[in-house]
């Protein structure tokens, strides 16, 4: 097996530093890249576009480690990109710190644009030839999510059947939005490079169980693509929400600014009227609001960060009707 | 003048979040003027304060035309201004990427919805805006090309340039874009600075707005006539980029006329002082934008030029 760390984009910084975007390429020896790409055997695992989302770090390491245990089983290219936004990771910052810019709003980039647009364009260029890409996110620092794949309705016919094999708990098909056209995943899917957006866990933390679950799914996808001929764990059947109209999910937004105490974990089944948590005012000792489920369903998102302002998202519940439609 | 709270959120440990508006005249929703929506937009607040001073005087003299209503909102985001953070305090989202907003959504979606509900039915919408890159502008009116833009009206501010901007996907959630979609004639005015108050440029912006209001018959005012605006497409700006990073030693300023081959700035090695690059003007033209920080990154557009040969 060949294993190589490669720099896919770099720019000089003002004071004695070069910003590099790197990937780790694993592939069988003695076979050409062209040949493997043409036979559909290149997968790219990307993370760190948001610098404070670290769940993908475990996935990158574990994927590489497991392949290293059985290099003879590798039949295709695995490209691992652990840090698309190295500044953000170093600064515990979602965006690109010096620019206060969300990197996931500048794709497909521009080779003639500024530093960040240039890097984005180089990243997209490096993705050419990829047959499947996973873009791993960790929600944000505020919310914990069950492992899920989010798919733009424009790409659902192609992506849902692929996502079904990825061992996640939920596939959430959402409506199209013009703003999302600047994302990494949209830019790749628009170019015919199938890309799945994974959301799982919470920002600034690593949930090892979720990492292992997704790595199992990546091996299942690799086996399906002919990239892996080793053992593959059995994958679970996800819930699929075709939520293009936005009617499948209850959103729990804070009615008051305060401190949120969560009382139910994400992944719980909840019933209408059941208490999910509460918002309190520690200054006055008041209970400002009890947060209850507006209907029966599956609590797949819960707020992790206690401080809320009026409107802050505290949870999402997939309606029971949507679950029943899937036979769950 | 009537001061009014347009939108409010109760704070936990901070004072309540309030968006205040100042109303002049009455009757029709004629024109709404929006100042800062980001925490670093001090100039935008300052311009509104100076405009409010002028409008108070005009109102006292009975110079606001009967039936015409003017609303000025100096700041849509006092929480961020007060902690000197550009975007929203807790989640770093940008209110000017949340329009038209959603009243049942997250905090900044609610703020955008709360503001937009108050200002969406105005005939004219004017926003004092800032650019995402640090720098100084030649004063200009920007209009997004949504198919509903009105260029002739934009010229009536009398600022040197009217810039037509083709919206990118992320522009569709800005105030300017949504105003136009809701059939308000919307204009973004860029003065010279953002986080530093520039009084001269602020005065020019106030004069431009008064000029515009006078020409629309909203106020009776004779003052600054301004320039005959030149219309430029934003993609016609010539970007002059750094090939190297380092100290940015600026020689030419925004608004200057420059010759082809003229040295505009130097990029200097921060450790040795060696000149890494002389930044040279590729054309004869006007500097529409000039970077204003001490350091510059590689590939940064430190100047944006308007070509001389396109002069009308």
């Amino acid at each position: 097996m060949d294993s190589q760390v490669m720099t896919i984009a770099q720019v000089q910084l003002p004071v004695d530093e070069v910003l590099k975007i790197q990937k780790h390429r694993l592939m069988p020896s003695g076979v050409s890249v062209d040949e493997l790409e043409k036979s559909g055997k290149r997968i790219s695992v990307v993370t760190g576009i948001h610098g404070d989302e670290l769940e993908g770090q475990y996935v990158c390491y574990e994927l590489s480690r497991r392949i290293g245990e059985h290099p003879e089983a590798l039949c295709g290219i695995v490209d691992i990109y652990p840090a698309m936004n190295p500044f953000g990771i170093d600064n515990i910052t979602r965006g690109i710190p010096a620019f206060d810019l969300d990197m996931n709003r500048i794709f497909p980039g521009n080779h003639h644009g500024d530093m960040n647009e240039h890097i984005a364009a180089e990243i997209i260029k490096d993705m050419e030839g990829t047959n499947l890409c996973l873009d791993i996110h960790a929600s944000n620092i505020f919310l914990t999510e069950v492992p899920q794949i989010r798919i733009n309705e424009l790409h659902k016919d192609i992506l849902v059947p692929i996502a079904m094999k990825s061992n996640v708990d939920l596939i959430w098909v959402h409506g199209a939005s013009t703003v999302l056209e600047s994302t990494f995943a949209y830019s790749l899917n628009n170019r015919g490079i199938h890309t799945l957006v994974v959301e799982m866990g919470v920002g600034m933390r690593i949930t090892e169980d979720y990492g292992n679950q997704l790595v199992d799914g990546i091996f299942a996808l690799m086996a399906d693509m002919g990239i892996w001929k080793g053992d593959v764990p059995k994958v679970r059947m996800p819930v699929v929400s075709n939520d293009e109209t936005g009617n499948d999910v209850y959103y729990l937004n804070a009615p008051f600014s305060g401190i949120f105490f969560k009382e139910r974990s994400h992944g719980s089944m909840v019933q209408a009227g059941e208490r999910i948590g509460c918002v309190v005012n520690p200054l006055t000792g008041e209970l400002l609001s009890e947060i209850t489920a507006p209907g029966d369903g599956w609590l797949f998102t819960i707020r992790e960060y206690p401080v809320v302002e009026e409107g802050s998202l505290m949870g999402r519940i997939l309606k029971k009707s949507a679950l029943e439609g899937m036979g769950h | 003048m009537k001061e009014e709270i347009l939108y409010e959120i109760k704070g936990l440990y901070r004072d309540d979040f309030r968006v205040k508006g100042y109303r002049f005249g009455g009757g029709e929703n004629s024109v709404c003027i929006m100042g800062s929506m980001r925490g670093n937009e001090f100039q935008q607040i300052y311009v509104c304060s100076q405009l409010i001073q002028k409008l108070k005087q005009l109102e006292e003299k009975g110079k606001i035309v009967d039936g015409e209503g003017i609303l000025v909102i100096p700041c849509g985001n006092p929480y961020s201004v007060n902690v000197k953070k550009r975007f929203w305090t807790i989640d770093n989202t940008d209110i000017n990427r949340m329009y038209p907003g959603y009243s049942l959504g997250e905090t900044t979606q609610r703020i955008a919805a709360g503001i937009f509900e108050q200002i969406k039915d105005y005939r004219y919408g004017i926003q004092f805006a800032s650019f995402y890159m640090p720098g100084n502008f030649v004063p200009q009116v920007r209009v997004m090309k949504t198919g509903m833009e009105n260029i002739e009206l934009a010229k009536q501010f009398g600022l040197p340039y009217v810039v037509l901007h083709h919206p990118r996907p992320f522009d569709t959630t800005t105030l300017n874009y949504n105003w136009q979609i809701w059939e308000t004639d919307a204009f973004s005015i860029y003065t010279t600075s953002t986080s530093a108050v520039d009084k001269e440029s602020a005065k020019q912006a106030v004069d431009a707005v008064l000029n515009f209001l006078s020409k629309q018959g909203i106020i009776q005012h004779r003052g600054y006539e301004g320039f005959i605006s030149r219309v430029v497409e934003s993609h016609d700006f010539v970007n002059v980029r750094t090939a190297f990073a380092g100290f940015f030693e600026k020689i030419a300023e925004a608004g200057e006329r420059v010759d082809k081959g003229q040295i505009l700035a130097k990029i200097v090695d921060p450790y040795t002082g060696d000149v890494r690059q002389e930044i040279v003007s590729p054309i004869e033209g006007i500097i529409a934008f000039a970077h204003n920080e001490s350091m510059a990154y590689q590939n940064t557009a430190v100047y944006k030029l308007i070509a001389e040969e396109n002069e009308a």
Side-chain angles (χ1 to χ4, degrees):
Chain A
M1 181 180 76
D2 291 339
S3 164
Q4 189 184 2
V5 172
M6 306 159 82
T7 297
I8 63 158
Q10 67 175 44
V11 287
Q12 177 207 22
L13 297 174
V15 182
D16 194 27
E17 184 183 351
V18 176
L19 172 66
K20 292 180 184 173
I21 312 294
Q22 294 181 302
K23 72 174 178 184
H24 183 191
R25 169 163 282 183
L26 300 154
M27 60 183 284
S29 304
V31 194
S32 80
V33 171
D34 272 0
E35 196 180 314
L36 290 170
E37 285 180 351
K38 279 178 187 154
S39 54
K41 292 181 181 176
R42 178 177 161 195
I43 190 169
S44 293
V45 176
V46 170
T47 195
I49 286 178
H50 291 140
D52 59 356
E53 298 179 9
L54 305 176
E55 300 279 6
Q57 299 301 311
Y58 180 85
V59 175
C60 289
Y61 170 75
E62 182 63 10
L63 178 61
S64 181
R65 190 191 69 77
R66 289 196 206 174
I67 292 171
E69 279 188 341
H70 294 285
E72 73 288 351
L74 186 65
C75 311
I77 301 169
V78 180
D79 280 339
I80 299 170
Y81 304 75
M84 288 299 200
N85 173 10
F87 274 7
I89 293 174
D90 183 56
N91 283 270
I92 326 175
T93 303
R94 182 178 176 84
I96 303 173
F99 301 86
D100 223 351
L101 191 67
D102 185 342
M103 190 178 192
N104 214 19
R105 294 289 180 275
I106 60 170
F107 288 99
N110 176 1
H111 275 111
H112 305 291
D114 73 16
M115 182 178 111
N116 299 303
E117 290 173 314
H118 177 79
I119 287 172
E122 288 285 295
I123 290 169
I124 294 290
K125 188 177 156 201
D126 196 72
M127 290 291 150
E128 286 169 11
T130 292
N131 305 106
L132 177 64
C133 176
L134 277 86
D135 175 22
I136 305 169
H137 292 255
S139 185
N140 53 39
I141 63 166
F142 305 107
L143 303 167
T144 305
E145 305 274 5
V146 300
Q148 61 196 266
I149 285 176
R150 294 190 186 161
I151 294 174
N152 189 318
E153 63 175 319
L154 301 174
H155 308 123
K156 71 173 184 177
D157 292 343
I158 291 171
L159 297 185
V160 170
I162 301 171
M164 294 293 286
K165 300 166 192 164
S166 64
N167 205 32
V168 293
D169 295 339
L170 169 67
I171 296 171
W172 188 9
V173 179
H174 59 80
S177 155
T178 313
V179 167
L180 297 178
E181 291 173 15
S182 314
T183 63
F184 174 70
Y186 183 95
S187 297
L188 289 186
N189 280 312
N190 206 30
R191 284 163 170 70
I193 299 171
H194 303 153
T195 302
L196 302 173
V197 176
V198 179
E199 293 278 2
M200 63 180 194
V202 63
M204 291 193 189
R205 296 288 180 270
I206 285 174
T207 316
E208 203 173 309
D209 287 349
Y210 287 171
N212 284 321
Q213 180 180 336
L214 183 62
V215 173
D216 287 351
I218 293 172
F219 275 96
L221 290 166
M222 283 165 42
D224 196 59
M225 295 167 73
I227 294 174
W228 186 252
K229 61 181 181 188
D231 292 342
V232 174
K234 190 171 183 311
V235 296
R236 64 189 71 193
M237 179 66 74
V239 171
V240 182
S241 166
N242 285 297
D243 192 26
E244 294 95 323
T245 54
N247 292 327
D248 274 6
V249 175
Y250 296 116
Y251 291 82
L252 307 176
N253 294 90
F256 301 102
S257 301
I259 303 297
F260 173 68
F261 299 149
K262 74 168 179 179
E263 294 172 9
R264 297 301 305 267
S265 297
H266 63 297
S268 308
M269 294 300 298
V270 294
Q271 292 185 328
E274 194 177 332
R275 200 160 128 147
I276 310 288
C278 58
V279 177
V280 305
N281 183 340
L283 176 66
T284 60
E286 285 173 281
L287 171 65
L288 297 173
S289 179
E290 290 188 17
I291 308 304
T292 57
D296 296 354
W298 181 38
L299 184 69
F300 67 95
T301 305
I302 190 75
R303 188 167 185 95
E304 202 63 46
Y305 189 75
V307 180
V308 293
E309 293 168 323
E310 186 181 320
S312 295
L313 189 62
M314 298 176 298
R316 297 188 191 99
I317 297 170
L318 186 65
K319 293 178 184 174
K320 191 179 173 190
S321 54
L323 289 166
E324 285 170 347
M326 274 298 298
H328 283 267
Chain B
M1 182 186 81
K2 196 175 135 206
E3 182 186 282
E4 195 178 305
I5 294 173
L6 302 175
Y7 186 75
E8 192 170 17
I9 292 178
K10 201 157 180 50
L12 175 64
Y13 298 132
R14 292 186 66 171
D15 192 1
D16 296 346
F17 172 85
R18 288 180 292 271
V19 178
K20 279 185 182 169
Y22 296 83
R23 293 190 189 275
F24 300 88
E28 290 285 307
N29 288 333
S30 307
V31 60
C32 173
I33 296 141
M34 183 79 203
S36 149
M37 278 190 282
R38 294 169 179 154
N40 65 333
E41 293 177 343
F42 300 163
Q43 170 80 351
Q44 287 68 17
I45 300 175
Y46 180 76
V47 175
C48 284
S49 72
Q50 299 309 294
L51 185 62
I52 285 170
Q53 287 288 315
K54 288 283 185 191
L55 289 171
K56 269 164 72 175
Q57 290 167 10
L58 288 167
E59 194 171 50
E60 282 162 12
K61 291 177 187 164
K63 299 284 187 186
I64 293 177
V65 173
D66 281 350
E68 303 286 354
I70 303 167
L71 172 64
V72 184
I73 307 172
C75 183
N77 186 359
Y79 262 25
S80 294
V81 174
N82 288 332
V83 297
K84 295 187 180 177
K85 184 174 176 185
R86 189 163 178 239
F87 297 134
W88 186 244
T89 49
I90 191 163
D91 63 7
N92 209 40
T93 51
D94 183 358
I95 295 173
N96 202 27
R97 291 284 179 274
M98 292 292 164
Y99 286 95
Y102 177 44
S103 62
L104 300 176
E106 297 209 41
T107 310
T108 45
Q109 291 176 308
R110 290 180 184 213
I111 294 168
I115 294 173
F116 200 59
E117 181 58 32
Q118 299 276 347
I119 68 177
K120 66 181 165 51
D121 296 323
Y122 278 79
R123 204 182 327 147
Y124 305 113
I126 300 168
Q127 182 197 353
F128 293 113
S130 72
F131 197 45
Y132 72 98
M133 292 172 73
N136 298 119
F137 272 103
V138 64
Q140 57 191 258
V141 183
R142 280 199 167 215
V143 181
M144 275 200 208
K145 288 190 84 170
T146 59
M148 303 173 82
E149 71 278 4
N150 190 332
I151 297 162
E152 288 310 309
L153 269 179
K155 290 179 182 173
Q156 293 182 15
F157 286 92
L159 285 171
Y161 295 95
V162 170
V163 179
L164 303 180
H165 176 63
H166 295 258
R168 292 187 280 184
F170 50 81
D171 289 321
T172 56
T173 49
T174 59
L175 172 60
N176 189 308
Y177 185 91
N178 283 280
W179 249 340
Q180 283 199 40
I181 299 301
W182 262 258
E183 299 183 346
T184 293
D185 284 315
F187 311 97
S188 296
I189 293 186
Y190 288 74
T191 64
T192 303
S193 63
T194 300
S195 55
V197 169
D198 180 320
K199 289 188 177 180
E200 194 182 331
S201 157
K203 184 175 181 310
Q204 188 179 19
V206 169
D207 287 343
V209 171
L210 295 177
N211 193 22
F212 178 83
L213 298 186
S214 171
K215 286 181 176 164
Q216 307 322 312
I218 296 169
I219 59 171
Q220 293 168 335
H221 175 70
R222 286 184 66 188
Y224 166 90
E225 275 296 316
F227 297 79
I228 297 169
S229 304
R230 181 178 153 194
V231 179
V232 189
E233 299 260 355
S234 60
H235 57 67
D236 287 338
F237 281 16
V238 176
N239 289 320
V240 186
R241 294 186 180 279
T242 51
F244 298 91
F247 278 130
F248 176 71
E249 289 190 0
K250 185 160 60 174
I251 298 168
E253 300 283 351
E256 276 185 40
R257 187 175 291 272
V258 294
D259 293 325
K260 185 176 179 181
Q262 184 177 331
I263 298 172
L264 305 177
K266 292 177 183 175
I267 297 293
V268 174
D269 185 315
Y271 283 179
T272 65
D274 292 341
V275 175
R276 286 177 169 170
Q277 182 190 359
E278 286 183 336
I279 295 170
V280 172
S281 177
I283 58 164
E284 185 182 350
I286 300 285
I287 298 175
F289 168 83
H291 182 82
N292 69 352
E293 287 195 335
S294 302
M295 290 269 189
Y297 287 100
Q298 192 179 351
N299 290 340
T300 301
V302 285
Y303 288 99
K304 289 175 184 283
L305 307 180
I306 298 169
E308 186 73 34
E309 56 264 34
N310 290 341
E311 290 273 10

